[in-house]
Amino acid sequence: MPSEFDLIRRHFLQPTPSAVLGPGDDCALLVPSAGMELAITTDMLVEGTHFLPTVSPELLGWKAVAVNLSDLAAMGAQPRWLLLAGSLPSADEEWLASFAAGLFACSTRYAVELIGGDTTRGPLNLCLTALGELPAGSALRRDRARLGDDLWVSGLPGRAALGLAHLQGRTQLPPALATSCLAALQQPQPRVELGLELRRRGLANAAIDISDGLLADLAHILDRSAVGAEILVSALPQLPAGVALELARNCQLSGGDDYELVFSAPPGARSAIGELADQLALPLTRCGRIVEAAGSLRLLDADGRPLASEQRGFDHFA
């Protein structure tokens, strides 16, 4: 039976040239680049809450990294380093090899180094901490939305929630749609390039990633910025065909696990944001605006009339 340290050496030890000292000691040693602030985030994935027991360990490895990088993307930070802590039911080398392959596929894609962590025996639970850098004072923060800002959303929110509904038997998606929705759920693409460009070009005032649902996460911006918002539902990305309208709309507004970005930007940035969408080959949809009524979030139809919605998103303790 391999020891804990044998497993780490075999599956998770890779070169870390950007760290002064990487895995193998009590702490890693890092030197941030001159003039940069560190952005630090942590996210936990628990079996049965964040993923199904049947998920591929390789896809789980990818997602464990991606959900953390998505937080860095929302602040416009350049990802640099990762720490991995996890509890495992057993020392299953085949499972670990597959998980590590997914983890390093994602970390390599975004030039991030795994610099340390911890393992123990227990129910399957994975907790990653991601560290990034950005110039001092330049972060895209939740408390910077301004009255009159446009609201934008990236990608096609709701696809991940539809994929989960498909897996749970709450709907039966057409084959092509099922493939794209399951990919959105199991292998999300953190919008790192988008976050970096929004910050570098000074296009966005505030941003957040969609982990608990578009409305729920937008509400955090409204709370921190002491503003309100109006969402024009008809302006949101077109809902996929072949799905019950109510389910599709609820997934779009309140489904979690998309890891797209919602951001506010002044109206004068519209042309530049359109050019950025073309450059990144990523849909960026203007879907609402920031208004004065602090904390209020209204959904409007195509004629500007209020729509009722009790859906707000995922809450672990609701």
Side-chain angles (χ1 to χ4, degrees), residues 4 7-8 11-13 23 28 41-45 51 57 60-68 81-88 95-104 107 112-120 124-131:
E4 171 189 356
L7 292 173
I8 292 171
H11 299 290
F12 298 104
L13 197 59
T41 184
T42 190
D43 242 312
M44 189 181 302
L45 296 181
F51 61 92
L60 183 58
W62 175 285
K63 186 169 183 176
V65 176
V67 301
N68 280 271
W81 302 289
L82 289 171
L83 294 161
L84 167 64
S87 63
L88 306 170
W95 190 97
L96 283 169
S98 181
F99 174 81
L103 182 147
F104 285 116
S107 61
V112 188
E113 296 174 4
L114 181 65
I115 57 170
D118 188 32
T119 58
T120 188
L124 186 55
N125 182 348
L126 304 161
C127 184
L128 270 80
T129 298
L131 298 89

Side-chain angles (χ1 to χ4, degrees), residues 39 41-43 62-82 103 105-113 128-132 188-193 195-196 209 259 261:
T41 184
T42 190
D43 242 312
W62 175 285
K63 186 169 183 176
V65 176
V67 301
N68 280 271
L69 300 190
S70 182
D71 283 335
L72 296 181
M75 299 198 80
Q78 177 67 58
R80 296 293 307 277
W81 302 289
L82 289 171
L103 182 147
C106 190
S107 61
T108 299
R109 162 68 179 81
Y110 295 98
V112 188
E113 296 174 4
L128 270 80
T129 298
L131 298 89
Q189 306 298 307
R191 301 306 184 188
V192 172
E193 292 90 348
L196 288 171
D209 72 328
Y259 302 100
L261 298 189

Side-chain angles (χ1 to χ4, degrees), residues 173-180:
L173 301 178
L177 180 60
T179 297
S180 69

Side-chain angles (χ1 to χ4, degrees), residues 214-236:
L214 190 156
L215 298 183
D217 290 311
L218 174 57
H220 297 310
I221 289 181
L222 305 184
D223 178 59
R224 293 300 302 272
S225 296
V227 294
E230 294 176 345
I231 297 293
L232 188 61
V233 172
S234 61
L236 289 167

Side-chain angles (χ1 to χ4, degrees), residues 18-260:
S18 72
V20 176
L21 182 65
D25 216 308
D26 289 301
C27 297
L29 299 177
L30 307 173
V31 177
S33 303
M36 305 291 267
E37 291 177 336
L38 286 177
I40 303 172
T41 184
T42 190
D43 242 312
M44 189 181 302
L45 296 181
V46 179
E47 185 179 61
T49 299
H50 300 98
F51 61 92
L52 299 175
T54 54
V55 70
S56 153
E58 184 170 0
L59 291 176
L60 183 58
W62 175 285
K63 186 169 183 176
V65 176
V67 301
N68 280 271
L69 300 190
S70 182
D71 283 335
L72 296 181
M75 299 198 80
Q78 177 67 58
R80 296 293 307 277
W81 302 289
L82 289 171
L83 294 161
L84 167 64
S87 63
L88 306 170
S90 64
D92 184 333
E93 294 235 37
E94 183 178 353
W95 190 97
L96 283 169
S98 181
F99 174 81
L103 182 147
F104 285 116
C106 190
S107 61
T108 299
R109 162 68 179 81
Y110 295 98
V112 188
E113 296 174 4
L114 181 65
I115 57 170
D118 188 32
T119 58
T120 188
R121 182 187 292 273
L124 186 55
N125 182 348
L126 304 161
C127 184
L128 270 80
T129 298
L131 298 89
E133 290 184 328
L134 69 171
S138 69
L140 303 177
R141 294 169 40 162
R142 298 179 185 182
D143 61 358
R144 299 282 172 86
R146 298 292 177 260
L147 295 181
D149 276 359
D150 293 327
L151 284 171
W152 297 78
V153 64
S154 69
L156 301 172
R159 297 295 175 113
L162 279 174
L164 180 60
H166 178 79
L167 288 178
Q168 293 176 332
R170 293 185 285 120
T171 189
Q172 186 66 40
L173 301 178
L177 180 60
T179 297
S180 69
C181 290
L182 290 174
L185 174 68
Q186 297 174 337
Q187 198 170 18
Q189 306 298 307
R191 301 306 184 188
V192 172
E193 292 90 348
L194 173 60
L196 288 171
E197 292 304 316
L198 289 174
R199 174 183 59 76
R200 287 168 177 164
R201 302 184 191 194
L203 297 178
N205 286 330
I208 192 170
D209 72 328
I210 304 175
S211 57
D212 295 326
L214 190 156
L215 298 183
D217 290 311
L218 174 57
H220 297 310
I221 289 181
L222 305 184
D223 178 59
R224 293 300 302 272
S225 296
V227 294
E230 294 176 345
I231 297 293
L232 188 61
V233 172
S234 61
L236 289 167
Q238 184 175 356
L239 297 174
V243 185
L245 180 60
E246 183 178 4
L247 173 64
R249 183 66 77 194
N250 284 343
C251 287
Q252 184 180 65
L253 293 173
S254 307
D257 264 1
D258 283 306
Y259 302 100
E260 296 292 348

